[in-house]
Amino acid sequence: FSGTYGYYRAKGFNFSGSAGILDETFSVTTSGTTPTAFYTLPSATYRSGELTIQVTNGTAYRIAKMLFIHDGTNVTLSENYGVGGEIQTGATNTTFSASISAGTLTLYATASSGTAVVKGKVSLIKV
């Protein structure tokens, strides 16, 4: 491939090489109390990111924004970092967590009851 560096866009994938930002979508169904991975990324490539998450659990709906950053070992999540950062029609009973193992950062959703459908997008920023 040759040409001018620029912006590439395909279904569910956007990448701007010059800015080092990757945008992708995700979707997972989680039930019970076992954490379900909904997104993984190479921790050596991406240091931080922003999540826009929609959760559906029965008749309850929720949309939230989250930030995350890591130091190579520990991941810090900041849920609903902005004023009015979350809107919900009822308790979705779903929590979020993250961990790093063998160079892979994994984001998890856990439904404390019922079945939750977690959808959204992540924007990652390179190291």
Side-chain angles (χ1 to χ4, degrees):
F1 178 80
S2 64
T4 305
Y5 290 103
Y7 189 76
Y8 172 78
R9 182 180 176 124
K11 184 176 180 182
F13 177 82
N14 300 312
F15 182 71
S16 175
S18 61
I21 297 173
L22 173 68
D23 288 332
E24 290 188 302
T25 59
F26 55 84
S27 179
V28 70
T29 299
T30 181
S31 61
T33 57
T34 302
T36 301
F38 66 88
Y39 193 79
T40 61
L41 61 120
S43 60
T45 305
Y46 299 100
R47 175 73 60 205
S48 58
E50 177 185 62
L51 299 157
T52 302
I53 298 174
Q54 173 189 280
V55 182
T56 305
N57 186 317
T59 59
Y61 304 94
R62 170 183 174 199
I63 188 162
K65 290 252 190 196
M66 275 187 230
L67 295 177
F68 68 89
I69 192 164
H70 71 86
D71 62 7
T73 304
N74 301 301
V75 183
T76 302
L77 283 172
S78 174
E79 194 169 346
N80 306 317
Y81 61 87
V83 174
E86 177 176 327
I87 302 168
Q88 62 182 8
T89 62
T92 59
N93 302 316
T94 304
T95 58
F96 299 93
S97 60
S99 68
I100 295 178
S101 177
T104 300
L105 188 152
T106 305
L107 296 159
Y108 299 94
T110 307
S112 61
S113 65
T115 299
V117 177
V118 179
K119 295 180 181 180
K121 75 170 190 155
V122 61
S123 293
L124 304 174
I125 302 170
K126 282 191 170 183
V127 170

